Amino acid sequence: MKVRRHLNCAICALTMWVNGANAWSNALPVGPAAGDQTLSPFYIWDGALPDKPGVMLREEPIPGQPDITDASQIARILYTSQDKRWNAGIVPVSGTLWLPKGRAPKGGWPLVAWAHGTLGVADSCAPSWTNPPPRDAHYINQWLKHGFAVVATDYQGLGGPGPHPYMNWEAEGRSVLDSVRAALKSTSQLANNLVISGQSQGSGASLGASLLAPDYAPELKLRATIATGVVATFPDGPIKPGPARPGQRDPARFTLLRIIGGSLPDGAPAAEKWVTDKGTKMLALARTSCMPELGRYERREKLTGDTVFVGGTKQVESALLAVTDMPVKTFPAPLFTATGLADHTLSPHHQYAAIAALCAGGNAVEWKTYPGITHNGVVNVAFDDELKFVRGVMENAPQPNSCGSLQAPGELQQPLKGVPFNR
């Protein structure tokens, strides 16, 4: 119901953006084809932008949600970041900031930067607008309960102007780091004592932010990085990852989001040229709707990559930019990673290959695997281990290192019943 209202206003939003005084209006693709929609005036910045990333543009209080009970303050935020994909300069990016209950400790609350998983590429999927889904809300609330503030970027283009550079770790990593910069400048209740955490799509963003931090945001004191449902790929790693999707699954919706979200090389044919007649309707839906509706449509119509894309999934994916590929190198902070052994969304072996590459880069990596736990379930199942890991880092205790005992996952398991969000 919200989407219909947003679509009715899409033209007025596009007009404001194109007529604005920002340099990015000449370089950044904008409009309905990029997933742009009108949410509220808060998200539209039509004046000149500061020339630096990480500047808070505006904040507004937003109501709480039932799943987040341990926040004393919640604010929707709009801040500046540096576009990497289109080299459009400084762009506005939206997000959310939560403060815990109680009095801040001396020096301020430690801060968790949360990088969310795949929600869609249309502006109306931005979690600062819709509120985080229940799974993510529960996770955020656990950090608040244990005395951490949380800042969560929507990522560039998800809420703000232009395409959301879906799965592009260099773009998403900047959105994460700049949300932290803006949050630290907005209140004295926060400490420059940072943990970055991300799931699935967000695991690439969290690892990307960590890798970028020493050069892009050296003033931030990054203490630990968490990545669950690891999506990152390492072409120079010691183990071939194999197919990302377990079995014969070939969902088209993720590839469609990449096509809309900047993975087509500059000068490539338009998105419409890559899809069949059946795929045309799904492409239009991906530009206006979020993952639940997109998934329901894909299942109802019995669509696969072979029926949606001209030449099938392999042909279109071979033309896309390798936006999840990362270098094998040393990261600046200790790493915690987690994989559900019943992950039917992202192959556990694919994740194992990423962990092996992180180890090959000289990192101390704690890798936890959870029998019977799915892609969705691992987010909250791993929390107690994450908290123990982070507290150890904060106390400068010796950190566990799984690199000397890595074992490839066995056969894909079936999900355990009775575990929250484990579907």
Side-chain angles (χ1 to χ4, degrees), residues 270-315:
E272 287 77 8
K273 300 295 184 181
W274 297 91
V275 293
T276 63
D277 290 342
K278 289 184 177 180
T280 299
K281 292 183 179 180
M282 194 172 177
L283 175 64
L285 190 65
R287 285 168 165 158
T288 58
S289 302
C290 305
M291 285 301 282
E293 185 175 351
L294 198 58
R296 286 192 295 269
Y297 179 83
E298 186 174 19
R299 290 187 293 272
R300 185 176 68 244
E301 300 298 320
K302 297 182 172 58
L303 298 175
T304 67
D306 286 339
T307 58
V308 167
F309 301 113
V310 175
T313 301
K314 288 185 179 179
Q315 181 164 313

Side-chain angles (χ1 to χ4, degrees), residues 101-193:
K101 291 180 177 179
R103 177 178 292 182
K106 184 178 180 180
W109 302 107
L111 182 61
V112 170
W114 167 242
H116 65 75
T118 301
L119 299 174
V121 295
D123 281 348
S124 54
C125 307
S128 71
W129 176 250
T130 62
N131 286 330
R135 182 201 74 180
D136 293 5
H138 182 79
Y139 181 79
I140 290 166
N141 198 62
Q142 290 189 83
W143 284 112
L144 293 167
K145 186 182 298 184
H146 286 89
F148 291 77
V150 179
V151 63
T153 180
D154 291 334
Y155 303 130
Q156 176 185 335
L158 194 56
H164 163 42
Y166 175 64
M167 301 288 277
N168 186 318
W169 66 266
E170 293 188 83
E172 293 170 352
R174 284 165 173 76
S175 293
V176 171
L177 294 171
D178 289 325
S179 73
V180 175
R181 285 167 151 167
L184 290 174
K185 294 170 186 173
S186 72
T187 173
S188 61
Q189 296 186 67
L190 299 178
N192 188 355
N193 200 14

Side-chain angles (χ1 to χ4, degrees), residues 228 336-343 348 366-374 377-386 413-414 416 422:
T228 61
F336 178 95
T337 57
T339 299
L341 296 180
D343 190 331
E366 183 172 7
W367 183 40
K368 291 285 189 178
T369 58
Y370 300 91
I373 301 303
T374 66
V378 74
V379 178
N380 287 289
V381 167
F383 178 79
D384 288 344
D385 289 326
E386 293 176 9
Q413 299 177 5
Q414 293 303 307
L416 287 173
N422 200 46

Side-chain angles (χ1 to χ4, degrees), residues 22-387:
N22 303 301
W24 51 257
S25 64
N26 295 320
L28 194 69
V30 294
D36 283 334
Q37 299 168 306
T38 294
L39 307 181
S40 75
F42 179 89
Y43 292 86
I44 299 174
W45 188 267
D46 58 350
L49 284 165
D51 61 0
K52 294 181 180 180
V55 176
M56 187 71 80
L57 296 173
R58 61 166 66 113
E59 304 174 62
E60 67 177 9
I62 55 178
Q65 64 181 117
D67 301 288
I68 298 182
T69 57
D70 286 276
S72 63
Q73 298 177 45
I74 309 176
R76 182 179 290 127
I77 62 174
L78 191 72
Y79 62 94
T80 60
S81 190
Q82 181 81 39
D83 171 48
K84 173 64 177 178
R85 170 59 186 88
W86 294 275
N87 296 314
I90 299 297
V91 293
V93 179
S94 54
T96 311
L97 175 63
W98 296 265
L99 299 184
K101 291 180 177 179
R103 177 178 292 182
K106 184 178 180 180
W109 302 107
L111 182 61
V112 170
W114 167 242
H116 65 75
T118 301
L119 299 174
V121 295
D123 281 348
S124 54
C125 307
S128 71
W129 176 250
T130 62
N131 286 330
R135 182 201 74 180
D136 293 5
H138 182 79
Y139 181 79
I140 290 166
N141 198 62
Q142 290 189 83
W143 284 112
L144 293 167
K145 186 182 298 184
H146 286 89
F148 291 77
V150 179
V151 63
T153 180
D154 291 334
Y155 303 130
Q156 176 185 335
L158 194 56
H164 163 42
Y166 175 64
M167 301 288 277
N168 186 318
W169 66 266
E170 293 188 83
E172 293 170 352
R174 284 165 173 76
S175 293
V176 171
L177 294 171
D178 289 325
S179 73
V180 175
R181 285 167 151 167
L184 290 174
K185 294 170 186 173
S186 72
T187 173
S188 61
Q189 296 186 67
L190 299 178
N192 188 355
N193 200 14
L194 174 63
V195 175
I196 302 176
S197 180
Q199 154 69 9
S200 192
Q201 175 191 358
S203 71
S206 65
L207 290 171
S210 181
L211 196 58
L212 292 169
D215 294 324
Y216 185 76
E219 76 278 15
L220 299 183
K221 296 179 180 178
L222 176 60
R223 303 299 302 277
T225 301
I226 298 167
T228 61
V230 182
V231 73
T233 49
F234 296 84
D236 297 325
I239 295 172
K240 292 184 178 181
R245 306 295 172 196
Q248 301 300 314
R249 296 182 67 246
D250 183 23
R253 57 190 182 277
F254 298 101
T255 305
L256 277 175
L257 298 186
R258 289 187 62 194
I259 288 174
I260 300 169
S263 285
L264 284 173
D266 293 339
E272 287 77 8
K273 300 295 184 181
W274 297 91
V275 293
T276 63
D277 290 342
K278 289 184 177 180
T280 299
K281 292 183 179 180
M282 194 172 177
L283 175 64
L285 190 65
R287 285 168 165 158
T288 58
S289 302
C290 305
M291 285 301 282
E293 185 175 351
L294 198 58
R296 286 192 295 269
Y297 179 83
E298 186 174 19
R299 290 187 293 272
R300 185 176 68 244
E301 300 298 320
K302 297 182 172 58
L303 298 175
T304 67
D306 286 339
T307 58
V308 167
F309 301 113
V310 175
T313 301
K314 288 185 179 179
Q315 181 164 313
V316 67
E317 287 191 344
S318 67
L320 298 178
L321 299 172
V323 293
T324 62
D325 282 357
M326 302 184 75
V328 175
K329 62 185 300 184
T330 304
F331 282 65
L335 299 169
F336 178 95
T337 57
T339 299
L341 296 180
D343 190 331
H344 289 247
T345 300
L346 191 61
S347 164
H349 183 84
H350 182 91
Q351 298 182 52
Y352 161 68
I355 308 307
L358 292 171
C359 290
N363 298 286
V365 184
E366 183 172 7
W367 183 40
K368 291 285 189 178
T369 58
Y370 300 91
I373 301 303
T374 66
H375 197 69
N376 282 322
V378 74
V379 178
N380 287 289
V381 167
F383 178 79
D384 288 344
D385 289 326
E386 293 176 9
L387 182 62

